[in-house]
Structures are given as structure tokens and as C-alpha cells.
Amino acid sequence: MKGHGVEESALVRILGKWDPLEREAFRKKTPNLFIEDKERHFQRWDDHYARLLKHEFVRFKNTVLLWSMHPWERDARLVKEAIKKGKTSYGVLVEIACTRSSEELLGARKAYHSLFDHSIEEDVASHIHGIERKLLVALVSAYRYEGPKIKNEHAKSEAKIIYDAIKNAHKKPINEDDEVIRILATRSKPHLKALYNHYKDISGKNLDEDLDDIRFKEAVQCLCTPQIYFCKVLDSALKIDVDKNTKKALGRVIVTRADIDIKEIMADYNNLYGVTLPHKIQETAKGNYKDFLLNLIARGSN
Amino acid sequence: MSTLRIPQPVPPVADDCEQLRKAFAGWGTNEDLIISILGHRNAAQRKLIRETYFETYGEDLLKALDKELSNDFERLVHLWTLDPAERDAFLANEATKRWTSSNQVLMEIACTRSSDQLLFARKAYHARYKKSLEEDVAHHTTGEFRKLLLPLVSSYRYEGDEVNLTLAKTEAKLLHEKISKKAYSDDELIRILATRSKPQINATLNHYKDEFGKDINKDLKADPKDEFLALLRSTVKCLVRTERYFEKAARLAINKRGTDEGALTRVVATRAEIDLKIIADEYQRRSSVPLDKAVAKDTTGDYEKMLLAILGHDDV
């Protein structure tokens, strides 16, 4: 179950040839996968591992489906899934709301209407009840100006506002701070990048480092340094023994960025971790899933 | 239902442009000519006129109008000549610059336009002002007003007719609970008004009345002086009873001592091609006087003539 996907050709080649005795020997030799029922004299799959294996088999299918979809449907379905899954998946909401262009996010909102008969903001607002709701609703509702024009004095003063809010976070949690949320959810990306730089001048540290709340951290990373954010997500996904949500990120990031900025992400990945992304995927993924991902990357970087 | 009266057949756009050019020529301006053309063309035709005028004479028609005309007449013609999305962007931008009445205009634009119309207005805002409408609303409003207005202008409501009656029941109860506690700017209350589709909100408010005996706006009248409550009541009206909202706005504008031309212009220019006919009928029902007669009584000069032209009552 380690790694990503299954080595279909190996299964066909090896498992496909075994006769009943060989298969029984296999089951007896792998007590972590199969449980011996001593009373009734047979071996049965451990449910937990059977499910894990199912996830691995289905990884290729899900990635193919996701790839074939229109980007708007893709993002709408990812959002729907994230809302359903709950807290552990809210990072996906931040990712989609903040790394997509204004038109891409708008497209996702349109597709969501069509697919689910509700608006994204209404579902996010009605299904999320914790402190992260304010930020998440604001982020998914954004339709940011995309031009280069910024007002530097505003970027500077807003960097100071955020700096003060962070210093004051023990008295007023950042999730309650309407000003910080307003800035992050309405300002254009060039403006926020300028703000990010001004913040560093004031604090000496990067804005996302100074933020404790994970969603705010992710939002800043996605808005200001998206390729680095994606590298971190990929790196987590490619570690050994991670939970299935983290693992899924590998397929999601590659499929959603293959046509956008996978080249830059790979360059940053190499710089950060000293190994190329294709190499790491070769190491950790298997079979059709691995081949599919490597193809997506290769075409994206041509 | 549009009130416009457009001549059949429509004169060729080149002729319109030539006539308008003539209207500006020489010492004075031929306002009647301007009214007779622009007051009798729909949005698509006006857009074509603007484009053709620019191609032919190298000047933006709007700039020419601004130079030649003045006061209320100029403002009406200017707003009228802009295309709907630009007009909304212009009005919204203006509304972030002044005081109280501006919250109402922002809410009006956010709630009475269709999801796509609001979106086009936001796009036009990007193009014209090099920033987003949400940024400006967020920056220029505070407290409970911002809490309400920001989600309203950011919404992209589902536009289908599907309604979930169970949800309507639950949310009606929730609204009643918050209102009873006087929690008027509560997160949940705002969430419902700012994100649910209009048919869904309508169902919720119908259930509210059935279950609790009163119209929600009656319950929101606790303090007649409270401006936030007034805005909340108008929001509800805009979302589910748009024509009545505009009828009242027009009536207040006309009845106000000296007339509130800003409001009257806004109502007429923005609704002429949408539902002004229904609003006019509603006005007559409520005031026992036809809208055009009230306008004629209350306004004068070229401003009056242009209003009547747009209302389809200038007998040209």
C-alpha cells in the first residue's frame, strides 16, 4: 500500500498466473493483508487494507476523469467534495479560490450552479460553521481586479494593519478580524504581492510564517507565492505513509496545473528539494497512474 | 417591460450620428433633437450609435454630450447613453464616494440585477476604475453596513427556480430567532440574504409570514430611526419585490420637497428597459396618478422632456 497507484502489469504478469495453491500460499504469507479465520479454516481480506488497495486501484481512474473534465467542472467538483469531506479538506477550498484567475474561479462558480443547483458561496456558508467560515466564504466570492495597477501607499498601510492584527492575535483572533479578511479577500494579487514585500520589511519575516491559522497561511501562500505552495503540497503528498487526503493532492495538483504553470512548479521543486519531480514520482508511484502523471508533466513542460 | 417607444423602421445609425453631430454644431445645442433620437433608441441601438459616432468623428459621444449639456438633463443623458454594465459600475463607484444614501444604491445594484448583470457590472468596474468593486465597498464601508454590503456585491446567486421547502422552513425559523433577539447583523441572517437564490429567499419569507403571522419587514421595523434596519428592509424588498421597491423609490423622489432628481434619474435610466412599465403601473395604483403626469408636474425643461421620452410619453 506504500506509494501511489498499483503496478497493473506486475499484477497481470504474476498474480494472473497463480493457481489456487499459489494464491493460498500468498494469503498465508501476508498476515498483515489477510486474516486467518482459524475456526472456519480460510483466510479473508483485512477490510482496512482491502479499502486501501481499492483507493490505489481507483487512483488512475479518478485522475483520468479529472483530467478529461472541463477545468470549470473540475474545480466545481473539487469544491463540492471538499465541502462534504469537512475540515481536513478546507485547504482545497483555499487552493481553488486563491490560485485560480478571476475568470477561472468565476467559471467554477458557473459550473457549480449547473451541477449542483446552488451557488458555491451558499453551500460554503451553510455547511461550514467553524471560525474558518468568514475567511472561506469571502475567498470563494472574490472577483479580483486582474490588472497591474496598484496603490503602493495602500499596500504599505495594509501591511501594517495586518502586522498589528497579528501582534494582537492573542486578544482578537485573526479569524475575527474583518480588516484582515477584507484585505485578503478583495485586493488584487499584484497588490497583495506588494503587501507581502512591505510586510517583510516591517516584520523581518514572511507574512505566511507569522500567521498561525493554517487557512490564513495557505491563503497568503496561494495568493502571493502559488508555485512554492504547490511544491510544498506535492512534497507532502510524495512522502511515505501519508493519509489519503494528502496523497490525493498529487493527482489534483498535476492535473490542475499541467496546462498552467507546472514548468515553474517543477523548477521551484528542484530548487527546494534537490530532486526533480519526475524522479520523485518515478520512485513513489506505480503502474498506469505513474505513467499518466509523468506524461501530463512532460507535455506541460514542453 | 420596457417603456421605450422606438420608431419603426429604425433610422439608419449613420443618420442618427449625423443628426446628433448637427445637434452639437454651432452656438447652442439642439436638445430636442438629442432627446428625439437618444430617448427613442434601446441599449443595443445606443451602443451602435456610440461606436459609429466614434468611428465617424473620432470623438466619444459621451464626451461631446458632457461638453454641450448641463445639470440634471446632462446627468440623465449621460447615464442613459452608458451601457447597462458601465452605468451600474459608474453608479456604484459614485456610491462608494459619498455618504448614507450611497449604501442604498450599492445594495440596490447588488440585489435588483440578475447574477450575470451584476457580474458584468463588476467586470466593467475593473475596466474603468482599475480595481474591483468589492475592494472599494470593503474599503469605504464599515461595521454592520460593510458586513451586509460586501457579501451582497460579491454574490453570484444560483438563478434556477428550484426551491427547497424544508430549507425554507428551517431558515425562516432562524431568521425569526435572530430578529427576536435583535441580532440584525448576525452572520446567519446575512448569510441567508446574501447567498441564497431569490426564489429560495422568497419561499423562506413566505414561510416566515405563514408561520409567524407577520411580514418580515414589519418585524424589522423595531426602530424607525435605525439606518441599518432601513437598509435591511430595502434589501429584502429588492430581493423579492423589486418593482414595489422601485415604485417607492420613485414616489419618494417625486414627493420630496423639490424632487430628488438623482434618485428619479437613477430609477428611470436603470429600469426603463427592464420593468419600468410595471413600476409605472404600480405607481399609478399606489398614487392614483400616472407616473408620467407626476413627472411632468414635478420636473421642467429638457430634463422633463427626456424623462417623458424614456417613459414613452412624449408624443413625438
Side-chain angles (χ1 to χ4, degrees):
Chain A
M1 304 311 144
K2 293 205 159 81
H4 298 241
V6 284
E7 192 61 64
E8 290 91 352
S9 58
L11 289 172
V12 167
R13 221 177 344 114
I14 302 170
L15 199 62
K17 296 230 174 73
W18 287 344
D19 64 31
L21 282 174
E22 286 172 308
R23 294 200 305 280
E24 174 154 6
F26 168 67
R27 289 193 297 270
K28 288 197 166 148
K29 268 196 299 189
T30 51
N32 53 328
L33 296 181
F34 293 93
I35 301 173
E36 181 90 43
D37 186 327
K38 300 225 163 68
E39 196 187 315
R40 298 176 193 81
H41 305 297
F42 78 112
Q43 313 84 28
R44 43 164 290 227
W45 263 107
D46 175 313
D47 284 335
H48 174 64
Y49 282 106
R51 226 180 343 212
L52 286 184
L53 188 63
K54 188 185 88 166
H55 286 311
E56 296 308 332
F57 266 106
V58 120
R59 221 172 271 292
F60 175 54
K61 165 209 144 220
N62 286 339
T63 308
V64 168
L65 266 180
L66 202 64
W67 176 246
S68 62
M69 283 180 196
H70 189 291
W72 295 356
E73 179 179 0
R74 201 185 281 160
D75 283 347
R77 288 195 188 275
L78 286 171
V79 166
K80 181 72 167 176
E81 193 187 0
I83 296 175
K84 260 200 338 212
K85 279 224 164 96
K87 227 180 168 104
T88 51
S89 296
Y90 292 163
V92 176
L93 292 175
V94 176
E95 185 180 301
I96 293 177
C98 299
T99 62
R100 307 320 189 226
S101 74
S102 292
E103 293 305 319
E104 286 167 353
L105 179 57
L106 186 65
R109 290 168 87 176
K110 287 189 192 178
Y112 198 94
H113 282 187
S114 166
L115 293 166
F116 306 114
D117 294 342
H118 282 272
S119 63
I120 290 186
E121 56 276 25
E122 103 184 78
D123 277 357
V124 170
S126 59
H127 287 99
I128 297 180
H129 303 286
I131 44 169
E132 55 275 297
R133 186 217 272 190
K134 250 191 194 172
L135 176 68
L136 291 176
V137 173
L139 290 177
V140 300
S141 310
Y143 185 52
R144 298 173 203 263
Y145 167 62
E146 299 231 275
K149 186 152 185 228
I150 62 170
K151 274 213 169 105
N152 218 12
E153 317 80 58
H154 282 178
K156 237 189 199 157
S157 63
E158 290 177 350
K160 183 85 182 29
I161 291 175
I162 299 186
Y163 178 76
D164 290 336
I166 293 178
K167 280 268 165 304
N168 221 12
H170 54 282
K171 277 190 229 140
K172 182 178 187 192
I174 210 113
N175 313 81
E176 302 286 310
D177 195 317
D178 287 338
E179 277 291 277
V180 176
I181 293 179
R182 151 184 91 75
I183 295 168
L184 292 180
T186 65
R187 291 303 189 196
S188 73
K189 289 178 186 180
H191 179 106
L192 290 170
K193 292 192 172 114
L195 191 155
Y196 190 83
N197 292 333
H198 285 301
Y199 185 89
K200 187 143 194 197
D201 293 337
I202 304 176
S203 149
K205 291 222 257 151
N206 284 329
L207 176 53
D208 55 303
E209 286 161 9
D210 275 351
L211 285 163
D212 282 328
D213 181 295
I214 178 85
R215 304 298 148 208
F216 279 79
K217 226 194 244 292
E218 284 165 352
V220 170
Q221 287 168 353
C222 286
L223 290 163
C224 303
T225 54
Q227 281 103 27
I228 309 271
Y229 163 83
F230 282 121
C231 287
K232 294 200 177 133
V233 170
L234 287 170
D235 180 60
S236 296
L238 288 162
K239 287 194 162 51
I240 320 270
D241 283 340
V242 281
D243 66 85
K244 64 181 171 88
N245 275 338
T246 317
K247 252 183 171 182
K248 267 185 149 183
L250 178 63
R252 181 183 78 241
V253 171
I254 292 182
V255 165
T256 56
R257 308 315 285 178
D259 285 328
I260 317 266
D261 52 5
I262 196 74
K263 200 159 60 169
E264 290 86 340
I265 295 174
M266 290 209 288
D268 285 335
Y269 189 92
N270 205 348
N271 288 335
L272 282 169
Y273 305 113
V275 61
T276 65
L277 185 60
H279 182 92
K280 196 74 191 170
I281 293 179
Q282 190 75 250
E283 253 180 22
T284 9
K286 299 176 230 159
N288 291 334
Y289 182 60
K290 175 191 76 177
D291 292 337
F292 193 65
L293 290 180
L294 289 175
N295 267 354
L296 291 186
I297 298 181
R299 58 175 285 297
S301 62
N302 275 345
Chain B
M1 294 240 119
S2 171
T3 47
L4 281 185
R5 292 219 297 228
I6 301 173
Q8 294 299 334
V10 187
V13 65
D15 287 3
D16 279 344
C17 288
E18 201 185 311
Q19 291 298 307
L20 283 169
R21 189 70 168 175
K22 280 209 185 111
F24 304 138
W27 273 115
T29 311
N30 189 341
E31 288 89 354
D32 283 340
L33 189 51
I34 295 172
I35 295 172
S36 72
I37 298 173
L38 292 177
H40 293 269
R41 303 288 181 272
N42 65 30
Q45 291 158 346
R46 298 194 306 274
K47 183 171 177 165
L48 192 56
I49 291 173
R50 231 179 125 185
E51 284 165 1
T52 311
Y53 191 91
F54 185 74
E55 275 162 24
T56 317
Y57 303 110
E59 191 187 7
D60 183 351
L61 177 61
L62 275 176
K63 288 228 160 56
L65 290 166
D66 288 349
K67 263 195 301 192
E68 302 284 330
L69 315 176
S70 55
N71 299 329
D72 299 317
F73 177 52
E74 193 271 312
R75 187 178 161 83
L76 175 57
V77 174
H78 184 102
L79 278 181
W80 182 243
T81 312
L82 283 173
D83 102 21
E86 288 176 305
R87 185 187 304 146
D88 284 347
F90 178 85
L91 288 170
N93 179 260
E94 203 181 43
T96 59
K97 291 193 173 133
R98 288 180 325 188
W99 276 111
T100 324
S101 61
S102 63
N103 285 335
Q104 183 181 327
V105 172
L106 289 171
M107 175 281 300
E108 187 181 295
I109 294 174
C111 298
T112 61
R113 307 323 188 227
S114 73
S115 292
D116 281 332
Q117 284 167 347
L118 178 56
L119 191 67
F120 293 144
R122 287 160 81 179
K123 268 198 196 170
Y125 201 97
H126 283 184
R128 189 165 172 148
Y129 302 106
K130 309 285 182 246
K131 41 200 164 119
S132 66
L133 173 58
E134 307 85 275
E135 263 183 279
D136 276 351
V137 168
H139 193 69
H140 294 277
T141 57
T142 53
E144 46 190 10
F145 291 97
R146 184 207 279 184
K147 210 174 167 190
L148 176 63
L149 290 171
L150 190 50
L152 287 180
V153 303
S154 310
S155 66
Y156 186 54
R157 298 175 202 261
Y158 172 63
E159 298 236 277
D161 290 321
E162 290 81 358
V163 158
N164 180 330
L165 290 174
T166 317
L167 187 62
K169 279 198 177 126
T170 323
E171 295 194 332
K173 205 160 164 220
L174 193 54
L175 287 174
H176 188 255
E177 193 189 303
K178 301 296 175 183
I179 294 177
S180 313
K181 290 199 202 136
K182 296 199 194 282
Y184 303 120
S185 59
D186 177 271
D187 284 344
E188 286 287 279
L189 194 152
I190 292 183
R191 163 183 77 73
I192 293 171
L193 291 180
T195 67
R196 292 299 186 198
S197 74
K198 292 174 186 179
Q200 181 69 35
I201 293 177
N202 192 44
T204 303
L205 296 183
N206 282 339
H207 190 84
Y208 186 102
K209 188 160 187 187
D210 292 340
E211 185 71 25
F212 304 109
K214 281 205 252 167
D215 219 36
I216 195 173
N217 272 358
K218 293 276 185 302
D219 282 342
L220 286 172
K221 255 195 177 134
D223 178 2
K225 289 223 171 58
D226 185 327
E227 280 175 22
F228 182 70
L229 279 182
L231 187 63
L232 213 48
R233 292 197 299 274
S234 298
T235 304
V236 168
K237 232 170 167 182
C238 279
L239 289 168
V240 297
R241 295 273 178 277
T242 316
E243 299 91 12
R244 291 229 189 122
Y245 166 83
F246 280 116
E247 180 278 320
K248 186 170 183 184
R251 182 163 33 93
L252 290 178
I254 292 173
N255 292 350
K256 179 168 177 198
R257 194 174 262 278
T259 313
D260 180 351
E261 288 87 3
L264 184 58
T265 296
R266 190 181 78 240
V267 173
V268 171
T270 60
R271 307 313 285 181
E273 292 172 271
I274 316 251
D275 52 8
L276 192 55
K277 179 104 190 24
I278 306 180
I279 294 169
D281 289 344
E282 187 67 28
Y283 183 92
Q284 173 149 14
R285 202 189 57 81
R286 180 72 175 66
S287 321
S288 310
V289 171
L291 181 56
D292 60 293
K293 291 263 178 329
V295 163
K297 188 156 176 254
D298 233 56
T299 58
T300 57
D302 298 315
Y303 179 55
E304 176 193 332
K305 287 189 204 162
M306 186 68 180
L307 285 172
L308 291 177
I310 298 176
L311 278 165
H313 280 276
D314 58 347
D315 301 306
V316 160

